[in-house]
Every structure is written in structure tokens, then in C-alpha cells.
Amino acid sequence: DTGVSQNPRHKITKRGQNVTFRCDPISEHNRLYWYRQTLGQGPEFLTYFQNEAQLEKSRLLSDRFSAERPKGSFSTLEIQRTEQGDSAMYLCASSFGLDRGNEQYFGPGTRLTVT
Amino acid sequence: AQRVTQPEKLLSVFKGAPVELKCNYSYSGSPELFWYVQYSRQRLQLLLRHISRESIKGFTADLNKGETSFHLKKPFAQEEDSAMYYCALGGSYIPTFGRGTSLIVHP
């Protein structure tokens, strides 16, 4: 297990198109988080899963965004009808959860550019 | 609402100088705080968390509930410490990150 992986690493799309990102967490981790990061800012929470259950969603997550984690393993984040404001780095992180201190392990991120 | 404030976008020091990266938080309950670091072309990684009270790579951070602060300190900076540092409020809460401080250590 080489850590959290994300695919693709870069995505360029035209406004109005749909995009989907994938995150493969560390296999023993039951929590999985999605963040968005723009230039000059820290990671901004979007949503998280405890196993396959999506327990929390940020109010920033519009209805164009949807995330899934089937079977509690990998997760996908889909953005429909992309807008230029969606251009950002999308980060995934996983953790054991609160009983192990909830230390988060981050993936390398997917950089989205909407033209 | 919970908030993490890192007042300095950039901190520039010379090798061997002391470093203090400031972090203040706002949260009504009992906080759990972390420092994450991102070296050039690498992913975000945990540096330390307050409950472990460890010293990692010479860095320490003490939670001061009275001042709602969790400043990161190192007595003698090294060039390899140059990186982005993010303070984060986590635990059972929705994780909240500060905007980050870029530390540059000059030779």
C-alpha cells in the first residue's frame, strides 16, 4: 500500500462538461474526506464518509457536486455542468477515525482547470 | 462557527534563527489541533498533533486554551524546513484548515 492515490492528477475540461475524480484511500482506513484548495488558501472541507456512509457535507457543496463511496473502499467525486469557479485542486484524505486520533493521510490531489 | 487563523502568509528567516508560526482558533468546545506541512512537490502530511505532545523534526506546539492558540515553534530553523505549514482544527469536528504560512529559511 503506497498511500492515498488520486486519479487523474490533472483534468482540463470545458465549462458545462461533467468530470469525475477517483480516490483510493489507505485500505485499513474507514474515514475518507474530500477537500478543495484554491491558490493561497488551505484545504476547504467538502464532504466525508465513514465507511460507505456520507456523514457530512459542506454547505459549499452545491447540488452539482456528488460523492460516493460504494462498499466503503474507493470514492468518486463528480462535478456536473462545471463552471470556471470550480477550477481548483481537489484533495482526498483518509484516516482511521477518532479512536486513532483522526490523523489524515492526503493524496496528491487532482488539479481541475475549467476553460 | 469554527475558524482557524494563520495571520502570516509568509515567514522568512535565516538558518539557525528561531521560528514561530502563529495559529489561533475559534471553537466553543474542546479542540483537537494539528499542524500539517507540505514540502515542495509533495503531498500534505501531518507534522504533529497537540494530544501527542511530541517534538517532530525539532518542532513543538503547545495548545493554549486561554489564548486559543496553537503556535508552532522551532528554536533553530534549517533550510529543509522551508515549506507550507497549515494549522488545522479537527477531531470530531468538520476539519478546518488555516490558509497556511509559507516558511522560507535562507542559508
Side-chain angles (χ1 to χ4, degrees):
Chain A
D1 194 341
T2 57
V4 179
S5 62
Q6 292 186 247
N7 288 288
R9 296 291 305 277
H10 304 274
K11 179 72 177 177
I12 299 173
T13 192
K14 292 187 175 176
R15 189 178 56 188
Q17 297 294 303
N18 298 345
V19 294
T20 300
F21 310 141
R22 177 178 170 125
C23 171
D24 287 89
I26 293 172
S27 55
E28 307 86 43
H29 287 178
N30 51 36
R31 281 200 175 192
L32 188 148
Y33 296 81
W34 284 100
Y35 296 89
R36 179 172 61 192
Q37 187 174 23
T38 53
L39 197 61
Q41 301 298 319
E44 186 176 46
F45 171 82
L46 292 178
T47 188
Y48 90 86
F49 293 83
Q50 175 86 20
N51 299 312
E52 66 274 10
Q54 188 174 18
L55 296 187
E56 196 73 49
K57 288 169 64 172
S58 167
R59 281 171 285 179
L60 298 169
L61 207 65
S62 78
D63 55 7
R64 296 185 298 105
F65 288 70
S66 62
E68 293 183 341
R69 192 184 182 195
K71 302 178 184 177
S73 55
F74 71 93
S75 176
T76 57
L77 177 69
E78 182 183 16
I79 309 174
Q80 295 182 325
R81 305 181 303 282
T82 52
E83 302 173 355
Q84 287 188 319
D86 297 331
S87 295
M89 177 74 86
Y90 289 84
L91 298 171
C92 175
S94 67
S95 75
F96 283 110
L98 298 181
D99 57 347
R100 297 276 290 270
N102 206 28
E103 171 185 343
Q104 296 191 43
Y105 293 77
F106 282 84
T110 295
R111 182 169 296 283
L112 173 65
T113 302
V114 182
T115 61
Chain B
Q2 59 193 60
R3 188 181 302 121
V4 174
T5 302
Q6 293 181 250
E8 305 132 332
K9 285 184 71 172
L10 173 65
L11 188 61
S12 182
V13 301
F14 285 98
K15 176 182 173 182
V19 168
E20 182 179 53
L21 288 81
K22 292 184 167 53
C23 172
N24 288 89
Y25 67 90
S26 173
Y27 188 73
S28 56
S30 184
E32 186 165 340
L33 285 149
F34 304 81
W35 276 98
Y36 286 83
V37 61
Q38 186 168 27
Y39 300 103
S40 180
R41 294 189 176 86
Q42 295 187 27
R43 61 186 71 186
L44 264 169
Q45 58 186 286
L46 181 72
L47 180 61
L48 53 81
R49 52 193 179 107
H50 88 271
I51 60 172
S52 62
R53 303 185 65 82
E54 295 173 297
S55 172
I56 306 293
K57 299 183 179 182
F59 285 97
T60 59
D62 290 317
L63 177 60
N64 185 323
K65 291 186 178 181
E67 296 183 359
T68 60
S69 68
F70 188 57
H71 302 328
L72 184 68
K73 300 177 183 179
K74 184 169 183 176
F76 308 104
Q78 303 298 314
E79 289 178 69
E80 56 265 31
D81 296 329
S82 295
M84 280 294 296
Y85 291 81
Y86 295 94
C87 182
L89 178 62
S92 59
Y93 329 109
I94 294 173
T96 301
F97 284 75
R99 67 173 180 175
T101 297
S102 176
L103 174 65
I104 299 175
V105 182
H106 301 281

